[in-house]
Amino acid sequence: MKTKNIILAALLTAMPAAMTAQENIQKAFEALLNDKIVETKTQHSLERDPETGQKSAQADVYDFVVTNASALSRIKDIERAFDKDKNAAYQIRSGNGNAGRNHVSLAVGNNSSQSVSIGSMKGSNYIYACFLDPDDAEKKYRYAYAIEWLEKGQKTQVRLAITYATTQKYREKNSTRRRIIINGQEFNVDGGNFSGFSLDNSSVFVNDSVYSLQRTNGGWLTQFNIYKNRFLKNPEGIAANTYVTQIYNLCKKADALDDDEKELVADELKRMKTKTDDELIQKLFDMSIERLKK
């Protein structure tokens, strides 16, 4: 009971002080967390402006397993709550998880180094909605509410998430792009992603020191997906070796991933290994898989 009270207290701190447009979602989240859930894992972060005390970033994530009928019905209640509050949201989306290839990263704060992944469980369903913070006169901050669930026999794996961040429109308007120069060519780098970067067999890939490695599961999977796609386009030669080396370095820092996500990545690595005859690259794939097990 003490643990459950701590969870609910954290949930309440994530919500606006006044009852808002997302009232039905808030109540439905609280009702589910107050039910008989098991195997709870929570993650919480909060940042405030040191001078004004104004909240600038927050993330509250709840991963748990539902086994009883009443809690399962709460998930349906949450679906209905999203429908009830949809007219007040400025963005609402639903979809199916595709094991990292179709996931959503919900921003936290005002930068790209923090995010919460939704839709990373293969075969899951998810819904998320974004609402402007009613206490923010400048309308640059928003709350995002999300649920992802995956039925596994008698158990249903659930993720609830609430994040507080600037709106995507605000971040794009105020983003600053960094530049890198490779072989005399200039490229834009923004939050660990790059644009205008076309690699061939003679190209040299930028190493991890140029980017800040994402420490969330969504950020990790995004980085992995970039390297994977580049490798599959050209699975031979110097560039391919560089991509796989970057993947190996990622796999040495895979603490942000849960067991299902690690299994997904391992399956992808096995598939990628069949695309090359280079023994060194194949060995790097094997070493990467072993790193994921640690």
Side-chain angles (χ1 to χ4, degrees), residues 78-273:
I78 291 175
E79 289 186 79
R80 287 189 286 269
F82 272 95
D83 187 60
K84 290 178 181 178
D85 290 341
K86 66 181 180 182
N87 290 334
Y90 71 82
Q91 184 180 65
I92 185 167
R93 297 283 187 276
S94 62
N96 303 110
N98 195 15
R101 290 183 288 272
N102 192 34
H103 76 276
V104 175
S105 292
L106 298 177
V108 178
N110 190 30
N111 59 69
S112 58
S113 64
Q114 298 183 71
S115 64
V116 174
S117 178
I118 297 294
S120 293
M121 295 185 287
K122 186 176 182 180
S124 67
N125 295 290
Y126 67 82
I127 307 172
Y128 74 90
C130 298
F131 303 85
L132 289 174
D133 179 0
D135 297 323
D136 176 27
E138 297 180 55
K139 297 184 177 180
K140 67 179 184 180
Y141 281 95
R142 62 92 179 118
Y143 286 91
Y145 294 78
I147 179 173
E148 178 182 8
W149 69 100
L150 174 63
E151 296 182 13
K152 293 182 175 181
Q154 301 300 315
K155 296 183 177 181
T156 299
Q157 187 174 345
V158 181
R159 164 167 281 196
L160 294 183
I162 304 171
T163 73
Y164 186 77
T166 50
T167 65
Q168 183 177 353
K169 182 178 180 180
Y170 179 86
R171 292 194 303 274
E172 291 175 350
K173 180 180 178 181
N174 292 275
S175 67
T176 56
R177 289 186 176 274
R178 292 176 292 161
R179 298 179 302 164
I180 59 175
I181 297 176
I182 301 174
N183 295 336
Q185 290 183 276
E186 186 177 290
F187 304 95
N188 290 323
V189 181
D190 184 16
N193 296 316
F194 52 87
S195 59
F197 200 171
S198 177
L199 292 172
D200 54 34
N201 285 333
S202 62
S203 300
V204 178
F205 194 79
V206 187
N207 62 35
D208 277 341
S209 63
V210 176
Y211 307 113
S212 59
L213 185 65
Q214 302 283 351
R215 295 185 180 276
T216 62
N217 54 357
W220 196 103
L221 291 168
T222 297
Q223 291 280 74
F224 173 78
N225 215 33
I226 290 172
Y227 298 138
K228 181 196 74 172
N229 290 336
R230 294 287 176 175
F231 169 82
L232 292 176
K233 287 181 180 179
N234 184 17
E236 301 293 342
I238 296 174
N241 184 75
T242 306
Y243 306 146
V244 180
T245 300
Q246 299 296 336
I247 289 173
Y248 174 65
N249 288 333
L250 272 178
C251 291
K252 291 194 295 184
K253 304 173 183 178
D255 293 341
L257 303 184
D258 61 30
D259 291 342
D260 287 340
E261 290 166 339
K262 288 181 179 180
E263 184 178 349
L264 156 72
V265 173
D267 289 341
E268 286 295 306
L269 293 173
K270 292 174 185 177
R271 182 173 71 89
M272 293 165 68
K273 180 181 175 182

Side-chain angles (χ1 to χ4, degrees), residues 4-40:
K4 183 174 292 185
N5 289 339
I6 293 173
I7 293 172
L8 291 175
L11 175 66
L12 291 173
T13 62
M15 298 175 178
M19 298 308 287
T20 63
Q22 58 267 36
E23 176 181 352
N24 292 296
I25 297 174
Q26 292 174 0
K27 289 181 177 179
F29 274 28
E30 183 178 353
L32 175 56
L33 289 172
N34 198 36
D35 214 314
K36 297 177 181 178
I37 57 177
V38 295
E39 300 179 27
T40 304

